[in-house]
Amino acid sequence: MDGLKAVLASRNRHKARELERLLPGWTVEPLDRDDYPPETGATYYDNAVLKARFGRAVTLGERWVLAEDSGLEVEALGGRPGVLSARYAPEGPPAVAKLLGELEGIDDRRAHYTSELVLLSFDGRELRGTGTLDGRIADEPVGSEGFGYDPIFVPEGQERTVAELGNEWKAENSHRARAAQALLEALSRS
Ligand code: IMP
């Protein structure tokens, strides 16, 4: 669908920019509020719905609302940080350094990114798209594009990190790109 104007129930401008690239013709405007509800959901989907409903309430049901919850699951850590990825290192070393520290001496570097997108229409219909990206955690951070864990995430079949592969690569291949594609398909069927 072309020309859809949505608010993104998130303060994360990186995500809004990525989503705008991924949803051709859409305008994705981040909803900059400081009263988001705590992300208490057990799953990415639960948290995405929480954010989407909050976005719908504060825009009085007058806008399409997009919400995304995502994270990184590391096999050797039993799937952590997972839904807690954004809050993995609230104090102390940055998240990337903390994760590398936890994985020191561990050979199993397998990890997955997951993105869960929820779109609420004016009339409250809910559409959903999920995407994942498999890969492994590098030994040290490399690269400058993307955000978050991208400097240490090497996608399956690649030798370089997402931060080296860059934003254009992400727009074609990332977990968020796959979730956006699934959402567009759900929208075209609705
Ligand atoms: P959320 O805003 O609660 O969904 O937080 C998602 C967190 O997962 C981010 O703050 C990052 O730590 C991590 N994450 C999700 N997607 C990506 C990505 O594409 N690159 C790097 N880190 C990501």
Side-chain angles (χ1 to χ4, degrees), residues 1-9 16 19-20 23-31 55-56 59 61-67 118-123 183-184 187:
M1 186 192 282
D2 277 347
L4 199 148
K5 281 195 167 74
V7 292
L8 174 69
L19 286 164
E20 228 168 30
L23 299 163
W26 289 33
T27 309
V28 178
E29 186 192 314
L31 188 60
R56 184 170 159 77
T59 57
E62 290 169 0
R63 308 281 301 270
W64 286 76
V65 179
L66 186 60
V118 167
L119 179 69
L120 295 182
S121 68
F122 289 112
D123 51 2
L183 180 69
L184 289 174
L187 195 55

CSV table of all heavy atoms in Angstrom, one decimal, residues 1-9 16 19-20 23-31 55-56 59 61-67 118-123 183-184 187:
chain,number,residue,atom,x,y,z
A,1,MET,N,0.9,-1.2,0.0
A,1,MET,CA,0.0,0.0,0.0
A,1,MET,C,0.9,1.2,0.0
A,1,MET,O,1.8,1.3,0.8
A,1,MET,CB,-0.9,0.0,1.2
A,1,MET,CG,-1.9,1.1,1.3
A,1,MET,SD,-2.7,1.3,2.9
A,1,MET,CE,-3.9,0.0,2.8
A,2,ASP,N,0.6,2.2,-0.8
A,2,ASP,CA,1.4,3.4,-0.9
A,2,ASP,C,0.8,4.5,0.0
A,2,ASP,O,-0.4,4.6,0.2
A,2,ASP,CB,1.4,4.0,-2.3
A,2,ASP,CG,2.5,3.2,-3.1
A,2,ASP,OD1,3.3,2.6,-2.4
A,2,ASP,OD2,2.6,3.4,-4.3
A,3,GLY,N,1.6,5.4,0.5
A,3,GLY,CA,1.1,6.7,1.0
A,3,GLY,C,0.5,6.6,2.4
A,3,GLY,O,-0.1,7.5,2.8
A,4,LEU,N,0.8,5.5,3.1
A,4,LEU,CA,0.2,5.4,4.5
A,4,LEU,C,1.0,6.2,5.4
A,4,LEU,O,2.2,6.1,5.5
A,4,LEU,CB,0.2,3.9,4.9
A,4,LEU,CG,-0.8,3.5,6.0
A,4,LEU,CD1,-1.2,2.1,5.8
A,4,LEU,CD2,-0.1,3.6,7.3
A,5,LYS,N,0.3,7.0,6.2
A,5,LYS,CA,1.0,7.8,7.3
A,5,LYS,C,0.7,7.1,8.6
A,5,LYS,O,-0.4,7.0,9.0
A,5,LYS,CB,0.4,9.2,7.3
A,5,LYS,CG,0.8,10.1,6.2
A,5,LYS,CD,0.4,11.6,6.6
A,5,LYS,CE,1.1,12.6,5.7
A,5,LYS,NZ,0.6,12.7,4.4
A,6,ALA,N,1.8,6.8,9.3
A,6,ALA,CA,1.7,6.1,10.5
A,6,ALA,C,2.5,6.8,11.6
A,6,ALA,O,3.6,7.4,11.3
A,6,ALA,CB,2.1,4.6,10.4
A,7,VAL,N,2.1,6.7,12.8
A,7,VAL,CA,3.0,7.0,13.9
A,7,VAL,C,3.7,5.8,14.4
A,7,VAL,O,3.0,4.7,14.5
A,7,VAL,CB,2.4,7.8,15.1
A,7,VAL,CG1,1.9,9.2,14.7
A,7,VAL,CG2,1.2,7.0,15.7
A,8,LEU,N,4.9,5.8,14.8
A,8,LEU,CA,5.6,4.7,15.4
A,8,LEU,C,5.6,4.9,16.9
A,8,LEU,O,6.1,5.9,17.4
A,8,LEU,CB,7.0,4.5,14.8
A,8,LEU,CG,7.8,3.4,15.4
A,8,LEU,CD1,7.3,2.1,15.1
A,8,LEU,CD2,9.3,3.6,15.1
A,9,ALA,N,5.0,3.9,17.6
A,9,ALA,CA,4.9,4.0,19.0
A,9,ALA,C,6.3,3.7,19.6
A,9,ALA,O,6.5,2.6,20.2
A,9,ALA,CB,3.8,3.2,19.6
A,16,ALA,N,12.6,4.1,13.3
A,16,ALA,CA,11.6,4.9,12.5
A,16,ALA,C,12.3,5.0,11.1
A,16,ALA,O,11.6,4.8,10.1
A,16,ALA,CB,11.3,6.2,13.1
A,19,LEU,N,12.3,1.7,9.3
A,19,LEU,CA,11.0,1.2,8.9
A,19,LEU,C,10.5,2.1,7.7
A,19,LEU,O,9.8,1.5,6.8
A,19,LEU,CB,10.0,1.3,10.1
A,19,LEU,CG,10.2,0.2,11.1
A,19,LEU,CD1,9.5,0.5,12.4
A,19,LEU,CD2,9.7,-1.1,10.5
A,20,GLU,N,10.9,3.3,7.7
A,20,GLU,CA,10.4,4.2,6.5
A,20,GLU,C,11.1,3.6,5.2
A,20,GLU,O,10.5,3.6,4.2
A,20,GLU,CB,10.8,5.6,6.8
A,20,GLU,CG,9.7,6.5,6.5
A,20,GLU,CD,9.9,7.9,6.9
A,20,GLU,OE1,11.0,8.4,7.0
A,20,GLU,OE2,8.9,8.6,7.3
A,23,LEU,N,9.1,0.3,4.2
A,23,LEU,CA,7.7,0.4,3.9
A,23,LEU,C,7.5,1.5,2.8
A,23,LEU,O,7.3,2.6,3.2
A,23,LEU,CB,6.9,0.7,5.2
A,23,LEU,CG,7.0,-0.4,6.3
A,23,LEU,CD1,6.5,0.1,7.6
A,23,LEU,CD2,6.2,-1.7,5.9
A,24,PRO,N,7.7,1.1,1.6
A,24,PRO,CA,7.8,2.1,0.5
A,24,PRO,C,6.6,3.0,0.5
A,24,PRO,O,5.5,2.6,0.5
A,24,PRO,CB,7.9,1.3,-0.8
A,24,PRO,CG,8.3,-0.1,-0.3
A,24,PRO,CD,7.8,-0.2,1.1
A,25,GLY,N,6.9,4.4,0.5
A,25,GLY,CA,5.8,5.4,0.3
A,25,GLY,C,5.2,5.7,1.7
A,25,GLY,O,4.4,6.7,1.8
A,26,TRP,N,5.5,5.0,2.7
A,26,TRP,CA,4.9,5.3,4.0
A,26,TRP,C,5.7,6.5,4.7
A,26,TRP,O,6.9,6.6,4.5
A,26,TRP,CB,5.0,4.1,5.0
A,26,TRP,CG,4.2,3.0,4.7
A,26,TRP,CD1,3.8,2.5,3.5
A,26,TRP,CD2,3.6,2.1,5.7
A,26,TRP,NE1,3.0,1.4,3.6
A,26,TRP,CE2,2.9,1.1,5.0
A,26,TRP,CE3,3.6,2.0,7.1
A,26,TRP,CZ2,2.2,0.1,5.6
A,26,TRP,CZ3,3.0,1.0,7.7
A,26,TRP,CH2,2.2,0.0,7.0
A,27,THR,N,5.0,7.2,5.6
A,27,THR,CA,5.6,8.1,6.5
A,27,THR,C,5.6,7.5,7.9
A,27,THR,O,4.5,7.1,8.3
A,27,THR,CB,4.9,9.5,6.5
A,27,THR,OG1,4.7,9.9,5.2
A,27,THR,CG2,5.6,10.5,7.3
A,28,VAL,N,6.7,7.4,8.5
A,28,VAL,CA,6.7,6.8,9.8
A,28,VAL,C,7.3,7.8,10.8
A,28,VAL,O,8.5,8.1,10.8
A,28,VAL,CB,7.6,5.5,9.9
A,28,VAL,CG1,7.6,4.9,11.3
A,28,VAL,CG2,7.0,4.5,8.9
A,29,GLU,N,6.4,8.3,11.6
A,29,GLU,CA,6.8,9.4,12.5
A,29,GLU,C,6.9,8.9,13.9
A,29,GLU,O,5.9,8.4,14.5
A,29,GLU,CB,5.7,10.5,12.4
A,29,GLU,CG,5.9,11.8,13.1
A,29,GLU,CD,4.6,12.5,13.1
A,29,GLU,OE1,3.9,12.6,12.1
A,29,GLU,OE2,4.3,13.0,14.2
A,30,PRO,N,8.1,9.0,14.6
A,30,PRO,CA,8.2,8.5,15.9
A,30,PRO,C,7.4,9.3,16.9
A,30,PRO,O,7.3,10.5,16.7
A,30,PRO,CB,9.7,8.6,16.3
A,30,PRO,CG,10.3,9.5,15.2
A,30,PRO,CD,9.4,9.6,14.1
A,31,LEU,N,6.8,8.6,17.8
A,31,LEU,CA,5.9,9.3,18.8
A,31,LEU,C,6.8,9.5,20.0
A,31,LEU,O,7.1,8.6,20.8
A,31,LEU,CB,4.7,8.3,19.2
A,31,LEU,CG,3.6,8.8,20.0
A,31,LEU,CD1,2.9,10.0,19.4
A,31,LEU,CD2,2.6,7.7,20.2
A,55,GLY,N,0.0,3.9,21.8
A,55,GLY,CA,0.1,4.9,20.6
A,55,GLY,C,-1.3,5.2,20.2
A,55,GLY,O,-1.7,6.4,19.9
A,56,ARG,N,-2.2,4.2,20.1
A,56,ARG,CA,-3.6,4.5,19.7
A,56,ARG,C,-4.3,5.4,20.7
A,56,ARG,O,-5.1,6.3,20.3
A,56,ARG,CB,-4.3,3.1,19.5
A,56,ARG,CG,-5.6,3.3,18.9
A,56,ARG,CD,-6.2,1.9,18.5
A,56,ARG,NE,-7.6,1.9,18.5
A,56,ARG,CZ,-8.3,2.4,17.4
A,56,ARG,NH1,-7.7,2.9,16.4
A,56,ARG,NH2,-9.6,2.4,17.5
A,59,THR,N,-3.1,9.0,20.4
A,59,THR,CA,-3.4,9.7,19.2
A,59,THR,C,-4.9,9.7,18.9
A,59,THR,O,-5.4,10.0,17.9
A,59,THR,CB,-2.7,9.1,17.9
A,59,THR,OG1,-3.0,7.7,17.9
A,59,THR,CG2,-1.2,9.2,18.0
A,61,GLY,N,-7.0,7.5,18.4
A,61,GLY,CA,-7.6,6.6,17.3
A,61,GLY,C,-7.6,7.3,16.0
A,61,GLY,O,-8.4,6.9,15.1
A,62,GLU,N,-6.9,8.5,15.8
A,62,GLU,CA,-7.0,9.2,14.6
A,62,GLU,C,-5.9,8.9,13.6
A,62,GLU,O,-5.9,9.4,12.5
A,62,GLU,CB,-7.0,10.7,14.9
A,62,GLU,CG,-8.3,11.1,15.6
A,62,GLU,CD,-8.2,12.6,16.1
A,62,GLU,OE1,-7.2,13.2,16.0
A,62,GLU,OE2,-9.3,13.0,16.7
A,63,ARG,N,-5.0,8.1,14.0
A,63,ARG,CA,-3.8,7.8,13.1
A,63,ARG,C,-3.6,6.2,13.0
A,63,ARG,O,-4.0,5.5,13.9
A,63,ARG,CB,-2.5,8.3,13.7
A,63,ARG,CG,-2.6,9.8,14.1
A,63,ARG,CD,-2.4,10.7,12.9
A,63,ARG,NE,-1.1,10.5,12.2
A,63,ARG,CZ,0.0,11.1,12.5
A,63,ARG,NH1,0.0,12.0,13.4
A,63,ARG,NH2,1.1,10.9,11.8
A,64,TRP,N,-3.0,5.8,11.9
A,64,TRP,CA,-2.5,4.4,11.9
A,64,TRP,C,-1.3,4.4,12.9
A,64,TRP,O,-0.5,5.3,12.9
A,64,TRP,CB,-2.0,4.1,10.5
A,64,TRP,CG,-3.1,3.8,9.5
A,64,TRP,CD1,-3.8,4.8,8.9
A,64,TRP,CD2,-3.5,2.6,9.0
A,64,TRP,NE1,-4.7,4.2,8.0
A,64,TRP,CE2,-4.5,2.8,8.0
A,64,TRP,CE3,-3.1,1.2,9.2
A,64,TRP,CZ2,-5.1,1.8,7.3
A,64,TRP,CZ3,-3.8,0.2,8.5
A,64,TRP,CH2,-4.8,0.5,7.6
A,65,VAL,N,-1.3,3.3,13.7
A,65,VAL,CA,-0.2,3.2,14.7
A,65,VAL,C,0.6,2.0,14.4
A,65,VAL,O,0.1,0.9,14.3
A,65,VAL,CB,-0.7,3.2,16.1
A,65,VAL,CG1,0.4,3.1,17.1
A,65,VAL,CG2,-1.5,4.5,16.4
A,66,LEU,N,1.9,2.2,14.3
A,66,LEU,CA,2.8,1.1,14.1
A,66,LEU,C,3.6,0.9,15.4
A,66,LEU,O,4.0,1.9,16.0
A,66,LEU,CB,3.7,1.5,12.9
A,66,LEU,CG,4.7,0.5,12.4
A,66,LEU,CD1,4.0,-0.8,11.8
A,66,LEU,CD2,5.5,1.1,11.2
A,67,ALA,N,3.9,-0.3,15.8
A,67,ALA,CA,4.7,-0.6,16.9
A,67,ALA,C,5.7,-1.7,16.6
A,67,ALA,O,5.3,-2.6,15.8
A,67,ALA,CB,3.9,-0.8,18.2
A,118,VAL,N,3.5,-4.6,14.8
A,118,VAL,CA,2.0,-4.6,14.9
A,118,VAL,C,1.6,-3.3,14.4
A,118,VAL,O,2.1,-2.2,14.7
A,118,VAL,CB,1.6,-4.8,16.4
A,118,VAL,CG1,0.2,-4.4,16.6
A,118,VAL,CG2,1.9,-6.2,16.9
A,119,LEU,N,0.5,-3.4,13.5
A,119,LEU,CA,-0.1,-2.2,12.9
A,119,LEU,C,-1.5,-2.1,13.3
A,119,LEU,O,-2.2,-3.1,13.1
A,119,LEU,CB,0.1,-2.2,11.4
A,119,LEU,CG,-0.5,-1.1,10.6
A,119,LEU,CD1,0.3,0.2,10.8
A,119,LEU,CD2,-0.5,-1.4,9.1
A,120,LEU,N,-1.9,-1.0,13.9
A,120,LEU,CA,-3.4,-0.8,14.2
A,120,LEU,C,-4.0,0.2,13.3
A,120,LEU,O,-3.4,1.3,13.2
A,120,LEU,CB,-3.5,-0.3,15.7
A,120,LEU,CG,-3.1,-1.3,16.8
A,120,LEU,CD1,-3.4,-0.6,18.1
A,120,LEU,CD2,-3.8,-2.6,16.7
A,121,SER,N,-5.0,-0.1,12.6
A,121,SER,CA,-5.7,0.8,11.7
A,121,SER,C,-6.6,1.8,12.4
A,121,SER,O,-6.8,1.6,13.6
A,121,SER,CB,-6.5,0.0,10.7
A,121,SER,OG,-7.6,-0.6,11.3
A,122,PHE,N,-7.1,2.8,11.7
A,122,PHE,CA,-8.0,3.7,12.4
A,122,PHE,C,-9.1,3.0,13.2
A,122,PHE,O,-9.4,3.4,14.3
A,122,PHE,CB,-8.8,4.5,11.3
A,122,PHE,CG,-7.9,5.5,10.5
A,122,PHE,CD1,-7.6,5.3,9.2
A,122,PHE,CD2,-7.5,6.6,11.2
A,122,PHE,CE1,-6.9,6.2,8.6
A,122,PHE,CE2,-6.7,7.5,10.5
A,122,PHE,CZ,-6.4,7.3,9.2
A,123,ASP,N,-9.7,2.0,12.5
A,123,ASP,CA,-10.9,1.3,13.1
A,123,ASP,C,-10.4,0.2,14.1
A,123,ASP,O,-11.2,-0.7,14.4
A,123,ASP,CB,-11.8,0.8,12.0
A,123,ASP,CG,-11.1,0.0,11.0
A,123,ASP,OD1,-9.9,-0.2,11.1
A,123,ASP,OD2,-11.8,-0.4,10.0
A,183,LEU,N,4.4,-7.9,7.1
A,183,LEU,CA,3.3,-7.0,7.5
A,183,LEU,C,2.6,-6.5,6.2
A,183,LEU,O,1.4,-6.4,6.1
A,183,LEU,CB,3.8,-5.8,8.3
A,183,LEU,CG,2.8,-4.8,8.7
A,183,LEU,CD1,1.9,-5.3,9.7
A,183,LEU,CD2,3.5,-3.5,9.3
A,184,LEU,N,3.4,-6.2,5.2
A,184,LEU,CA,2.9,-5.7,3.9
A,184,LEU,C,2.0,-6.8,3.3
A,184,LEU,O,1.0,-6.5,2.7
A,184,LEU,CB,4.0,-5.3,2.9
A,184,LEU,CG,4.7,-4.0,3.3
A,184,LEU,CD1,5.9,-3.7,2.4
A,184,LEU,CD2,3.8,-2.8,3.3
A,187,LEU,N,-1.2,-6.9,5.1
A,187,LEU,CA,-2.0,-5.7,4.8
A,187,LEU,C,-2.7,-5.9,3.4
A,187,LEU,O,-3.8,-5.6,3.2
A,187,LEU,CB,-1.1,-4.5,4.8
A,187,LEU,CG,-1.7,-3.1,4.8
A,187,LEU,CD1,-2.7,-2.9,5.9
A,187,LEU,CD2,-0.6,-2.0,4.9
